[in-house]
Amino acid sequence: MGADPVMKVVRYVLPITLPVVALSACGVVEPYGCTAMLVPGIVVEIHDIATGRPLAAGARGAVQDQDFVDSLVPYGFGDASPESMFSRQAAFERHGTYRVHIEVAGYYPYDTTGVQVRQARCHVETAHLKARLTSSP
């Protein structure tokens, strides 16, 4: 008679399955433990240079890498009020070299070029910028 089917599983399948399960719990089988979250390529803090007051709520702007253009959208808030927004984000999961342009009514525009966003193992490495805007006459 043939071997018991349960014993076949115990004898042949378990020795292979158990190490795979153990290694996956350590992050070895699924490399790097990547997440499904979207990471911004660029985050810009936007403040008044004289007062330090956050200006991101009234800001509009965009990032550009060659033909790719993306709008800066809300990111960081100091509290629950919209006026406390202090930063904006763009270029989700997209590496490249960017130009960043920001406008706020009553302030000189902010422009910078050569902003590097690098690809990491799972996501991009976010480039953090600080835009300190000067009021215009």
Coordinates of all heavy atoms in Angstrom, one line a residue, residues 47-51 53 55 104-109 132-137:
H47 N 6.9 79.7 3.8 CA 6.7 80.7 4.9 C 7.1 82.1 4.4 O 7.9 82.3 3.5 CB 7.6 80.3 6.1 CG 7.2 79.0 6.7 ND1 7.6 77.8 6.4 CD2 6.3 78.8 7.8 CE1 7.1 76.9 7.1 NE2 6.3 77.4 8.0
D48 N 6.6 83.1 5.2 CA 7.0 84.4 5.0 C 8.4 84.6 5.6 O 8.6 84.2 6.8 CB 6.0 85.3 5.8 CG 6.3 86.8 5.7 OD1 7.4 87.2 6.2 OD2 5.5 87.6 5.1
I49 N 9.3 85.2 4.9 CA 10.7 85.2 5.3 C 10.9 86.1 6.6 O 11.7 85.9 7.4 CB 11.6 85.7 4.2 CG1 13.1 85.4 4.6 CG2 11.4 87.2 3.9 CD1 14.1 85.5 3.4
A50 N 10.0 87.2 6.7 CA 10.2 88.1 7.8 C 9.5 87.6 9.1 O 10.0 87.8 10.2 CB 9.6 89.5 7.4
T51 N 8.3 87.0 9.0 CA 7.5 86.6 10.1 C 7.5 85.2 10.5 O 7.2 84.7 11.6 CB 6.1 87.1 10.0 OG1 5.5 86.3 8.9 CG2 5.9 88.6 9.7
R53 N 5.5 83.2 9.2 CA 4.1 82.8 9.1 C 3.9 81.8 7.9 O 4.5 82.0 6.8 CB 3.2 84.0 8.9 CG 1.7 83.7 8.8 CD 0.9 85.0 8.8 NE 1.2 85.8 7.6 CZ 0.5 85.7 6.4 NH1 -0.6 84.9 6.3 NH2 0.8 86.5 5.4
L55 N 2.5 80.1 4.6 CA 1.8 80.7 3.5 C 1.3 79.6 2.5 O 0.7 80.0 1.5 CB 2.8 81.6 2.7 CG 3.4 82.8 3.4 CD1 4.4 83.5 2.6 CD2 2.3 83.8 3.8
V104 N 2.4 83.2 -4.4 CA 1.5 83.6 -3.3 C 1.2 85.1 -3.5 O 2.1 85.9 -3.7 CB 2.1 83.4 -1.9 CG1 1.1 83.9 -0.8 CG2 2.5 81.9 -1.7
A105 N -0.1 85.5 -3.5 CA -0.5 86.8 -3.7 C 0.2 87.7 -2.7 O 0.2 87.4 -1.5 CB -2.0 87.0 -3.6
G106 N 0.8 88.8 -3.1 CA 1.5 89.8 -2.2 C 2.9 89.4 -2.0 O 3.6 90.1 -1.2
Y107 N 3.4 88.4 -2.7 CA 4.8 88.0 -2.5 C 5.5 87.8 -3.8 O 4.8 87.5 -4.8 CB 4.9 86.7 -1.7 CG 4.5 86.8 -0.3 CD1 3.2 86.8 0.1 CD2 5.5 86.9 0.7 CE1 2.8 86.9 1.4 CE2 5.1 87.1 2.0 CZ 3.8 87.1 2.4 OH 3.4 87.2 3.7
Y108 N 6.8 87.9 -3.8 CA 7.6 87.6 -5.0 C 7.5 86.1 -5.2 O 7.6 85.4 -4.3 CB 9.0 88.1 -4.9 CG 9.2 89.6 -4.9 CD1 9.5 90.3 -3.7 CD2 9.0 90.3 -6.1 CE1 9.6 91.7 -3.7 CE2 9.2 91.7 -6.1 CZ 9.5 92.4 -4.9 OH 9.6 93.7 -4.9
P109 N 7.5 85.7 -6.5 CA 7.5 84.2 -6.8 C 8.7 83.5 -6.3 O 9.8 84.2 -6.2 CB 7.4 84.2 -8.3 CG 7.0 85.5 -8.8 CD 7.4 86.5 -7.7
R132 N 11.2 80.5 1.4 CA 11.0 81.7 2.3 C 10.7 82.9 1.4 O 11.6 83.4 0.7 CB 12.3 81.9 3.1 CG 12.7 80.8 3.9 CD 11.7 80.4 5.0 NE 12.2 79.3 5.9 CZ 11.5 78.2 6.0 NH1 10.4 78.0 5.4 NH2 12.0 77.3 6.8
L133 N 9.4 83.2 1.3 CA 9.0 84.3 0.4 C 9.1 85.7 1.0 O 8.8 85.9 2.2 CB 7.5 84.0 0.0 CG 7.4 83.0 -1.2 CD1 8.0 81.6 -0.8 CD2 6.0 82.9 -1.6
T134 N 9.4 86.6 0.1 CA 9.5 88.0 0.5 C 8.3 88.8 0.0 O 7.9 88.6 -1.2 CB 10.8 88.6 -0.1 OG1 11.9 87.9 0.3 CG2 11.0 90.1 0.3
S135 N 7.7 89.6 0.9 CA 6.5 90.3 0.4 C 6.9 91.3 -0.6 O 8.0 91.9 -0.6 CB 5.8 91.0 1.6 OG 6.7 91.9 2.2
S136 N 6.0 91.5 -1.6 CA 6.2 92.5 -2.7 C 5.4 93.8 -2.3 O 4.4 93.8 -1.6 CB 5.8 91.9 -4.0 OG 4.4 91.6 -4.0
P137 N 6.0 94.9 -2.9 CA 5.3 96.2 -2.6 C 3.9 96.3 -3.2 O 3.5 95.6 -4.1 CB 6.2 97.2 -3.2 CG 7.2 96.5 -4.0 CD 7.1 95.1 -3.7

